Amino acid sequence: MKSINAILCISTVFFMLACKKDEVAEPTVNLSQQIAGTYKLTSVLRNNTLADVTSTATGSATITAKDNTTAQISYTLAFGVNQQLIATDYQISKNGSDFKLVNSAGEDAVVQGSKLKMIITFTTLASSQKYIVEYTK
């Protein structure tokens, strides 16, 4: 009787393992598509003094998905008649709810919720100045 119970117990465990539900792989989340879109300029600070120069600036940014972890950021930033238009590819990683973007030159940007934040070097014939820029989707 003990051997029959042991066989039944082993058979039951084997049957349960054999009938285990198939595991479904989670779909790959496309990081670049999560942040793709058009963003409007909402804030510009001079990097060295943190002076707010938003009222003198105009611009926008577009993030275009290329593949799962690569996106292109095309942005414009203008002060009066001086305008800068740049398009650069960025590699994307995710840290919690933030998306970190890094281009081949090591320059980085971050998307936090609906905000794209980056440091932009604005170059004219007369000077070069860094700005902390924020665009909102």
Side-chain angles (χ1 to χ4, degrees):
M1 189 69 159
K2 287 182 180 180
S3 64
I4 292 175
N5 284 341
I7 292 172
L8 285 174
C9 185
I10 292 171
S11 298
T12 302
V13 169
F14 178 75
F15 180 74
M16 289 173 63
L17 291 174
C19 294
K20 186 174 123 180
K21 274 187 168 181
D22 291 338
E23 291 182 18
V24 178
E26 289 290 321
T28 303
V29 178
N30 190 317
L31 297 177
S32 61
Q33 288 180 348
Q34 291 181 46
I35 59 173
T38 301
Y39 296 74
K40 293 179 181 180
L41 183 68
T42 51
S43 175
V44 182
L45 303 175
R46 232 181 238 121
N47 191 43
N48 59 349
T49 63
L50 297 181
D52 188 342
V53 294
T54 306
S55 64
T56 64
T58 59
S60 64
T62 301
I63 299 178
T64 306
K66 295 189 99 179
D67 62 33
N68 181 37
T69 59
T70 307
Q72 181 181 72
I73 298 178
S74 301
Y75 74 84
T76 60
L77 182 60
F79 294 98
V81 295
N82 296 312
Q83 180 173 332
Q84 183 167 285
L85 170 62
I86 303 287
T88 307
D89 287 349
Y90 286 79
Q91 291 299 310
I92 307 165
S93 61
K94 190 169 182 184
N95 184 11
S97 60
D98 296 345
F99 295 85
K100 182 177 181 182
L101 299 95
V102 180
N103 67 19
S104 61
E107 299 166 329
D108 58 352
V110 65
V111 174
Q112 296 173 316
S114 63
K115 298 193 180 298
L116 166 64
K117 300 174 183 182
M118 56 197 308
I119 294 178
I120 294 174
T121 303
F122 190 84
T123 305
T124 65
L125 293 174
S127 68
S128 181
Q129 175 69 47
K130 289 189 180 212
Y131 294 95
I132 302 168
V133 180
E134 181 177 281
Y135 297 94
T136 303
K137 200 172 195 181

